[in-house]
């Protein structure tokens, strides 16, 4: 029987296990139990307690416990902004501050509670390791290549692995075998739940937490662009010869779970690795990195309706202005001098669309935007109508307010979706993507029917 199982999974890699235990949405994750020290220039506080990672009411690592001793009573001198190093076995795990002290009347014990301010790293993260494993919460479903997991009397496998690599690094992410059940739990409870595990390795040399922060930040931003909502790798653990050497429980940027539209395909990961290679190449240049961070930020804020429809239209056109300047002016030198600044917003979008080989027409599915174009001499194509709507929102004169109040919610929604589509196409063009994408402007009902080639193919 074992021989049959081994033959069945031959050539199929094992799944990367999650670095921490988390079975249900928003479960508290245990980090450490025992004695630790809080220390600053004024005092030392010895505590017997525990450290956990909580998701609500505030996301991040927290500590609670009873005070065993302190160099002096610091309650009177303690400032709310005082920071302490939290030290375990002589190693600093991060900066913290105390948020609450309680003195028990019956036990005469003082209970203390605090939070980590930035990093929460346990053991010596400067030690080089051969791989870093991590988890990813709230990431959308991707069908990749097969992985397997052995159990005592059985084996399971699924199409769960997506692989990304460049000349320096290799990253694999594996969807959990119970992804469907976890997603159902997440849909029911909201918040956060680990849905993927992953592993980072380097082509040459060892990994430390410090020398991988750049690639981790790059990969997190890239995943956010794929996901349509902000997502990060979390709970990074340094592994050397199959042993966990250090662990990172720092607080990274994550959006709570919510369904979001994305350009990615529902059943294919084709072209994603090439996309990452271009993304990580651009990331090496500081100016290009800042552009990617800002463009993805405005894209996510608009896509998630962070400013409701009207505010999100402003955010989306902020992204388009950024893309116009970076791609057409800085990189391609399409216009030079004041001409690049004096051109109006609608013409900037037209130039951008021409570069992407997209026409200026309103997409067929957006009936109310098309009615605006047909019924007014002000609105004569798609770039003009979205810019005029944006101008009516920003400028507060009475005529502008009347104009925006006369627009239906549907027409503003269509304007927002059109702008977000322009952003998606622009970023995919910049990243030299040559595959299919899910077109949010399509009138087709089913996602698979909305999958088409990018316009420049």
């Amino acid at each position: 029987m074992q021989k049959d199982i081994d033959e069945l999974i031959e050539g199929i890699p094992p799944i990367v296990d999650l670095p921490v235990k988390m079975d249900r949405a928003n479960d508290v994750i245990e980090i450490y139990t025992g004695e630790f020290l809080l220390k600053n220039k004024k005092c030392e506080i010895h505590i017997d307690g525990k450290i956990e990672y909580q998701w609500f009411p505030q996301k991040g690592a927290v500590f609670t416990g009873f005070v065993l001793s302190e160099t002096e009573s610091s309650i009177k001198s303690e400032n709310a902004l005082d920071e302490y190093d939290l030290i375990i076995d002589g190693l600093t795990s991060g900066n913290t501050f105390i948020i609450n002290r309680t003195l028990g009347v019956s036990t005469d014990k003082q209970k203390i509670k605090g939070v980590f301010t930035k990093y929460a790293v346990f053991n010596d993260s400067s030690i080089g390791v051969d791989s870093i494993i991590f988890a990813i919460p709230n990431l959308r479903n991707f069908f990749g290549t097969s992985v397997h997991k052995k159990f005592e009397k059985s084996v399971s496998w699924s199409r769960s692995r997506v692989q990304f690599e460049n000349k320096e690094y290799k990253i694999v992410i594996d969807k959990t075998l119970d992804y469907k059940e976890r997603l159902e739990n997440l849909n029911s409870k909201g918040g956060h739940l680990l849905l993927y595990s992953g592993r980072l390795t380097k082509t040459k040399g060892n990994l430390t937490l410090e020398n991988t922060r750049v690639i981790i930040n790059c990969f997190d931003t890239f995943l956010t662009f794929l996901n349509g909502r902000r997502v990060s790798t979390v709970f990074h653990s340094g592994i050397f010869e199959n042993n966990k050497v250090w662990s990172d429980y720092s607080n990274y940027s994550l959006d709570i779970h919510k369904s979001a539209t994305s350009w990615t395909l529902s059943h294919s990961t084709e072209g994603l690795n090439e996309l990452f290679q271009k993304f990580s190449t651009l990331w090496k240049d500081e100016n290009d990195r800042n552009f990617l961070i800002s463009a993805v930020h405005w894209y996510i804020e608009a896509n998630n309706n962070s400013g409701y429809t009207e505010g999100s239209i402003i955010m989306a056109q902020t992204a388009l202005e950024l893309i116009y300047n970076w791609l057409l002016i800085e990189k391609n030198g399409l216009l030079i001098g004041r001409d690049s600044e004096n051109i109006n917003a609608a013409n900037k979008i037209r130039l951008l669309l021409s570069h992407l080989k997209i026409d200026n027409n309103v997409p067929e599915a957006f009936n109310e935007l098309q009615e605006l174009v047909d019924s007014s001499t002000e609105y004569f194509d798609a770039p003009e109508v979205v810019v005029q709507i944006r101008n009516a929102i920003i400028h507060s004169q009475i005529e502008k307010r009347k104009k925006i109040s006369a627009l239906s919610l549907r027409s503003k929604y269509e304007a927002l979706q059109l702008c977000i589509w322009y952003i998606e196409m622009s970023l995919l063009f910049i990243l030299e993507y040559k595959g299919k994408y899910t077109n949010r402007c399509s009138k087709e009902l089913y996602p698979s029917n909305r999958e088409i080639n990018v316009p420049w193919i």
Side-chain angles (χ1 to χ4, degrees), residues 226-237:
L226 301 189
N227 196 49
R229 277 182 74 72
R230 194 168 282 101
V231 69
S232 293
T233 56
V234 295
F235 309 137
H236 312 93
S237 296

Side-chain angles (χ1 to χ4, degrees), residues 3-34:
K3 182 179 178 182
D4 293 338
I5 290 176
D6 290 341
E7 289 178 354
L8 190 64
I9 62 175
E10 185 178 358
I12 301 176
I15 195 170
V16 178
D17 290 325
L18 288 169
V20 297
K21 180 176 173 57
M22 185 184 186
D23 297 325
R24 294 176 301 276
N26 312 313
D27 273 354
V28 172
I29 295 171
E30 297 178 3
I31 299 175
Y32 173 83
T33 300

Side-chain angles (χ1 to χ4, degrees), residues 135-237:
I136 310 173
N138 301 9
L139 181 61
R140 66 174 56 244
N141 192 4
F142 290 106
F143 288 91
T145 57
S146 295
V147 292
H148 80 269
K149 183 176 178 62
K150 280 185 178 181
F151 299 95
E152 188 176 348
K153 295 183 179 180
S154 63
V155 64
S156 293
W157 67 91
S158 66
R159 287 181 53 196
S160 299
R161 172 160 293 183
V162 189
Q163 183 168 306
F164 306 92
E165 58 184 319
N166 57 25
K167 292 180 180 179
E168 298 177 73
Y169 298 97
K170 178 180 177 181
I171 304 171
V172 298
I173 62 171
D174 294 339
K175 191 168 52 183
T176 58
L177 293 176
D178 57 347
Y179 180 92
K180 182 179 178 182
E181 292 77 11
R182 284 174 176 260
L183 187 60
E184 288 174 354
N185 181 254
L186 190 56
N187 287 330
S188 172
K189 301 294 184 182
H192 306 275
L193 181 58
L194 306 182
L195 301 181
Y196 283 76
S197 57
R199 181 175 59 242
L200 168 67
T201 54
K202 196 174 182 181
T203 306
K204 293 181 181 179
N206 289 332
L207 300 162
T208 67
L209 186 59
E210 190 60 35
N211 71 20
T212 55
R213 288 200 188 279
V214 172
I215 189 62
I216 288 172
N217 191 13
C218 171
F219 189 61
D220 290 349
T221 309
F222 177 74
L223 283 183
T224 294
F225 176 53
L226 301 189
N227 196 49
R229 277 182 74 72
R230 194 168 282 101
V231 69
S232 293
T233 56
V234 295
F235 309 137
H236 312 93
S237 296

